């Protein structure tokens, strides 16, 4: 579920960033003509902002994905150890029940 939530937001950031980078005019009229004394080009700033928005949708998402994968791996390892301890305690009754079920299916199929 966490990975689904992570992947749900990624395309929106990426498309927004690409749209900002490909725009031929500044998106917001308020910042279209900054004072010349500042030496700012509104369109190049907007393109840089688009690149940042795109990068922040990809790079941190990959890092979060790696963290989620490590958490998932650790959880699976703990669950496997727990099941192994339970099997050692009860003589692996779950495996015996499954094998008996398969044997009954085999007997019915003949």
């Amino acid at each position: 579920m966490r990975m689904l939530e992570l992947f749900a937001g990624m395309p929106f950031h990426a498309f927004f960033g690409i749209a900002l980078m490909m725009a031929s005019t500044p998106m917001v009229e308020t910042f279209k003509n900054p004072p010349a004394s500042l030496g700012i080009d509104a369109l190049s700033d907007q393109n840089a902002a688009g690149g940042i928005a795109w990068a922040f949708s990809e790079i941190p998402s990959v890092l979060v994905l790696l963290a989620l994968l490590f958490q998932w791996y650790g959880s699976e390892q703990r669950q496997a150890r727990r099941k192994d301890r339970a099997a050692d305690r009860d003589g692996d009754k779950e495996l015996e029940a499954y094998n008996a079920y398969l044997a009954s299916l085999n007997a019915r199929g003949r």
Side-chain angles (χ1 to χ4, degrees), residues 13-106:
H13 286 107
F15 286 125
F16 174 71
I18 291 171
L20 281 179
M21 288 189 328
M22 295 185 70
S24 58
T25 60
M27 181 181 262
V28 180
E29 290 294 323
T30 306
F31 303 111
K32 191 171 191 172
N33 298 314
S37 63
L38 294 177
I40 296 173
D41 178 22
L43 191 56
S44 67
D45 276 0
Q46 179 175 303
N47 289 341
I52 292 169
W54 187 15
F56 275 114
S57 71
E58 302 297 328
I59 296 168
S61 296
V62 169
L63 295 175
V64 170
L65 179 63
L66 289 173
L68 288 175
L69 288 174
F70 279 113
Q71 286 178 352
W72 187 15
Y73 177 76
S75 173
E76 290 294 318
Q77 292 298 316
R78 285 189 302 274
Q79 184 178 6
R81 284 193 299 269
R82 192 169 39 249
K83 285 186 175 185
D84 286 346
R85 284 193 308 267
D88 289 343
R89 277 193 309 269
D90 67 5
D92 213 359
K93 297 286 184 192
E94 185 179 348
L95 180 62
E96 290 175 9
Y98 182 67
N99 285 337
Y101 170 71
L102 291 178
S104 70
L105 289 179
N106 187 34

